[in-house]
């Protein structure tokens, strides 16, 4: 189908003719559930591949279940969660950035409904990589870069873990800096 063109190059092809937005998706319900994304991409069998969603102008969620428990009405704003299950269990945490599958998401892989216990109220955290800050519940201002960095951090704050598995066992320790593969891996 072509809009503004007689020779569409895709199933839906829109060519703008003025300086306006060319596609607007407006939620139909004022309290639309965050688990019902504004945009879903699926494969040929109807299986979800990618969700694009938000619950507030200051939040961006991209990936299956990304930001699924976020509650902007209770202050969870300024969050960017990109990756499957990134920020999955965040409820009221604000100003968090999670990039990578399961970054800032405490979930049980394969469990129906992905039960959330942690990663709910921490603020100002940054997680880049797979399984970053997965167990964080109320730790603030943590930065983790590298797969499984600060994996078990729960209440620890002002920690920086850079490198695979750095500060992996840290749960409550604060004000730590760890750089390198498995550095400070036994720090708690």
């Amino acid at each position: 189908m072509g809009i503004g063109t007689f020779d569409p190059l895709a199933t839906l092809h829109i060519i703008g003719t003025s300086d306006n937005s060319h596609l607007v998706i407006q939620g139909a319900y004022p309290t639309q559930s965050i688990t019902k994304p504004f945009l879903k991409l699926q494969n040929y069998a109807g299986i979800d591949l990618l969700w694009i969603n938000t619950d507030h102008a200051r939040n961006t969620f991209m990936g299956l279940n990304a930001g699924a428990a976020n509650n902007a009405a209770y202050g969870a704003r300024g969050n960017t969660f990109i990756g499957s299950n990134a920020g999955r269990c965040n409820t009221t945490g604000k100003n968090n950035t999670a990039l990578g599958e399961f970054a800032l998401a405490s979930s049980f892989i394969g469990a129906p409904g992905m039960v959330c216990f942690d990663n709910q109220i921490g603020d100002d955290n940054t997680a880049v990589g797979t399984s970053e800050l997965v167990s964080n519940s109320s730790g603030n201002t943590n930065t983790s870069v590298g797969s499984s960095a600060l994996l078990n951090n729960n209440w620890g704050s002002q920690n920086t873990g850079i490198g695979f598995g750095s500060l992996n066992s840290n749960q409550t320790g604060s004000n730590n800096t760890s750089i390198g593969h498995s550095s400070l891996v036994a720090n708690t």
Side-chain angles (χ1 to χ4, degrees), residues 43-63:
N43 69 8
Y44 69 95
I47 296 171
D48 291 351
L49 299 175
L50 176 67
W51 292 0
I52 299 175
N53 208 359
T54 186
D55 61 350
H56 190 273
R58 292 182 52 212
N59 291 327
T60 302
F61 310 136
M62 186 181 302

Side-chain angles (χ1 to χ4, degrees), residues 94-141:
K94 61 185 180 296
N95 303 319
N96 293 298
T97 301
L99 176 60
E101 182 182 32
F102 291 103
L104 272 172
S106 181
S107 308
F108 297 102
I109 299 171
M114 297 244 177
V115 178
C116 297
F117 293 107
D118 297 317
N119 195 32
Q120 297 174 353
I121 60 174
D123 295 335
D124 304 305
N125 294 295
T126 302
V128 179
T130 302
S131 299
E132 300 289 316
L133 279 165
V134 166
S135 297
N136 195 67
S137 64
S138 58
N140 297 309
T141 60

